[in-house]
Amino acid sequence: MSKKITRYAVVGAGGRVVNFIDPIVSRFSANNELVGMCDTNQGRLDWHNKRLVNELKYHAVPTYLAGDFDRMIKETKPDVVIVTTVDAYHHEYIIRAMKLGCDAITEKPMTIDDKKCRAIFDAIKATGRRLRVTFNYRWAPGTTLVKQLLVKGTIGEIVSADMEYMLNTSHGADYFRRWHREKEKSGGLMVHKSTHHFDLVNWWLDAVPQQVFGYGKLAFYGRENARKRGVKVKYDRYTGHDTKGDPFALKIDGSQGGYMLDLYHKTEKYDGYIRDRNVFGDNITAEDTMSVLVKYRTGVALTYSLNAFLPREGFHIAFNGTKGRLEYNEEHGSHVVEGKKASSPEGHELNWKSRCVVHPMFGKAYEVEIPKAEGGHGGSDPLLAEQIFSPRPPKEKWGRNAGQGQGAASILIGIAANKSFVTNKPVDIAKLCPQLGKAKKLSDLV
Ligand SMILES: NC(=O)c1ccc[n+]([C@@H]2O[C@H](COP(=O)([O-])OP(=O)(O)OC[C@H]3O[C@@H](n4cnc5c(N)ncnc54)[C@H](O)[C@@H]3O)[C@@H](O)[C@H]2O)c1
């Protein structure tokens, strides 16, 4: 009997797609094949092909511009299309891939607004095709440990949760240098970034969100905020200008090393994608300061905040239960602009660290050891890749694989919050996406 080879095409050939390309063509190449790549930018497609040949010792694959996506499917006959474009276009490719007979895997966020979300459900219903949403954060050892402790009933029945997520002036600022700062492309950080966090909370609580209220504003980045603080904005982008003394400057001309020169700077001529826009420039529509209240269908309440201009990065979550409280923290080192590291009060550089503490109701608090893991995003990326690409992935005990129902439950909190920011009113999730049905538990959704 011949071995089953799964054929993959990718659409969206930027930075993230390597997390899918690499396992297909190396670790899991015995059972998988990369058959085509599609993007709006031929330069980036060529860069990936060079990398496939020179670094990964694979072969170049056929490339297609976005207008030729349907032709790519016809000519290369993939079984599955992997969608890693700018967020606003995920739904287009998911739906087109399904209509052309393929399953789809999409990066988070599944999409950026409720209309596009409903359209994805309609396409799945019409075609019977499968969608996977790659929530890699669920696979990190610390976040998985929290799930295990909660499932075991360590703190009894959960009543409420508080989560504070902090993005720093390196990583957080980076969302304001490129397309993420335009809400029509990313849904704002409430969707683009918080989809990870809302997904984790939905999954930890095993609950479907019911109602959302929030406040959000652009308080730090953007020209107007800089002007109010007396900061002069001298350039629209960093590369090509004298940026001495500007801590937000990111040069993509190779002077700061890395892959950005080839992937983004040399390819600008194809589509005008500027990777290093001034974070204090014009036309920023995403918020950098957000506070949200979520009520779940199970009765649990979540308070959540996201701030994107802080001196440190990481998050805290606390779950309050009928038998105690569980606290989990992550401290992240800074990335994006090398050499601009966040530091602790003791003066040392902050590195990736996590801690989980259980406070029993009448007992002594104790720390639970978090297993160590290797690889991207705290060790989550390789585990998720194994689930997707291995012909015999390890049996999954914690419900970490997700489809459209769980993908929607996460983005809909951010989408509802975005509406609440404008209307100043609570927003009902069921009205935004009736296809979620009446499930109370997240695990009852695919
Ligand atoms: N799970 C994670 O940890 C994680 C991390 C980073 C990015 N992501 C997700 O991956 C996706 C890609 O992010 P990235 O960092 O690679 O961004 P990127 O800007 O590097 O790449 C996006 C690519 O999409 C292409 N593109 C834009 N419009 C298109 C269209 N209409 N049709 C086809 N291609 C188009 C761009 O040319 C670019 O090559 C995003 O959805 C992002 O949310 C997930």
Side-chain angles (χ1 to χ4, degrees), residues 237-243 250-262 264-266 268 275-276:
R237 67 177 300 177
Y238 299 109
T239 304
H241 294 275
D242 178 4
T243 58
L250 169 76
K251 293 280 176 95
I252 59 168
D253 54 7
S255 58
Q256 290 176 338
Y259 60 94
M260 288 196 195
L261 170 67
D262 291 328
Y264 299 111
H265 195 26
K266 287 186 183 166
E268 270 173 25
R275 175 67 183 78
D276 61 330

Side-chain angles (χ1 to χ4, degrees), residues 204-219:
W204 279 326
L205 299 175
D206 193 16
V208 176
Q210 181 182 348
Q211 194 178 60
V212 178
F213 180 76
Y215 293 117
K217 62 183 173 185
L218 183 68

Side-chain angles (χ1 to χ4, degrees), residues 150-422:
L150 295 176
V151 167
K152 273 202 303 200
T154 310
I155 57 163
E157 197 182 317
I158 302 164
V159 178
S160 65
D162 298 304
M163 184 183 211
E164 179 192 23
Y165 206 100
M166 297 164 277
L167 290 168
N168 64 15
T169 46
S170 171
H171 188 203
D174 209 40
Y175 294 111
F176 293 86
R177 295 192 182 101
R178 49 182 182 149
W179 52 266
H180 310 72
R181 74 193 214 167
E182 295 164 46
K183 254 185 140 164
E184 60 278 23
K185 296 223 171 104
S186 66
L189 292 186
M190 255 302 102
V191 175
H192 174 83
K193 189 68 189 167
S194 304
T195 182
H196 272 308
H197 316 147
F198 294 137
D199 174 62
L200 282 176
V201 179
N202 295 349
W203 172 66
W204 279 326
L205 299 175
D206 193 16
V208 176
Q210 181 182 348
Q211 194 178 60
V212 178
F213 180 76
Y215 293 117
K217 62 183 173 185
L218 183 68
F220 184 77
Y221 300 110
R223 193 179 291 272
E224 191 51 24
N225 289 316
R227 192 190 58 76
K228 281 192 211 146
R229 292 193 302 274
V231 176
K232 278 219 164 64
V233 183
K234 297 187 215 134
Y235 28 76
D236 289 333
R237 67 177 300 177
Y238 299 109
T239 304
H241 294 275
D242 178 4
T243 58
K244 204 156 172 270
D246 182 344
F248 291 95
L250 169 76
K251 293 280 176 95
I252 59 168
D253 54 7
S255 58
Q256 290 176 338
Y259 60 94
M260 288 196 195
L261 170 67
D262 291 328
L263 190 59
Y264 299 111
H265 195 26
K266 287 186 183 166
T267 55
E268 270 173 25
K269 59 177 182 267
Y270 294 98
D271 61 359
Y273 175 145
I274 308 284
R275 175 67 183 78
D276 61 330
R277 282 187 274 172
N278 193 322
V279 298
F280 300 115
D282 294 315
N283 304 324
I284 298 181
T285 47
E287 297 83 5
D288 56 22
T289 305
M290 292 139 275
S291 307
V292 173
L293 202 51
V294 184
K295 182 178 164 196
Y296 282 87
R297 291 179 182 175
T298 53
V300 177
L302 165 74
T303 60
Y304 169 84
S305 73
L306 176 65
N307 292 285
F309 55 89
L310 302 183
R312 55 166 297 202
E313 174 139 336
F315 77 91
H316 315 286
I317 183 148
F319 300 90
N320 302 314
T322 52
K323 293 184 183 166
R325 173 175 163 100
L326 186 150
E327 294 172 354
Y328 176 70
N329 304 322
E330 285 185 10
E331 186 172 290
H332 300 169
S334 60
H335 41 298
V336 184
V337 184
E338 279 304 312
K340 292 183 181 157
K341 308 282 188 195
S343 65
S344 72
E346 298 77 37
H348 58 70
E349 193 182 295
L350 291 178
N351 280 318
W352 208 94
K353 241 183 8 207
S354 51
R355 188 163 189 245
C356 181
V357 178
V358 176
H359 300 262
M361 192 70 98
F362 298 106
K364 195 167 173 286
Y366 59 93
E367 191 168 338
V368 187
E369 196 183 331
I370 298 166
K372 296 264 171 298
E374 297 281 317
H377 289 104
S380 58
D381 285 339
L383 290 179
L384 178 58
E386 185 178 31
Q387 284 292 313
I388 300 174
F389 300 117
S390 166
R392 281 170 298 283
K395 200 162 163 22
E396 172 45 16
K397 284 194 283 195
W398 305 109
R400 288 175 293 187
N401 292 308
Q404 67 276 11
Q406 300 190 14
S410 126
I411 50 167
L412 284 165
I413 300 179
I415 292 168
N418 277 335
K419 290 186 189 291
S420 182
F421 294 167
V422 178

Side-chain angles (χ1 to χ4, degrees), residues 11-17 38-41 44 66 84-87 89-90 92-93 107-109 134 136 178-180 192 196 263-264 271 273 377 381:
V11 55
R16 179 66 183 163
V17 74
C38 176
D39 198 285
T40 41
N41 187 309
R44 269 193 285 282
T84 49
T85 62
V86 164
D87 303 344
Y89 311 112
H90 288 182
E92 281 180 18
Y93 291 108
E107 254 303 349
K108 51 56 55 178
T134 54
N136 50 337
R178 49 182 182 149
W179 52 266
H180 310 72
H192 174 83
H196 272 308
L263 190 59
Y264 299 111
D271 61 359
Y273 175 145
H377 289 104
D381 285 339

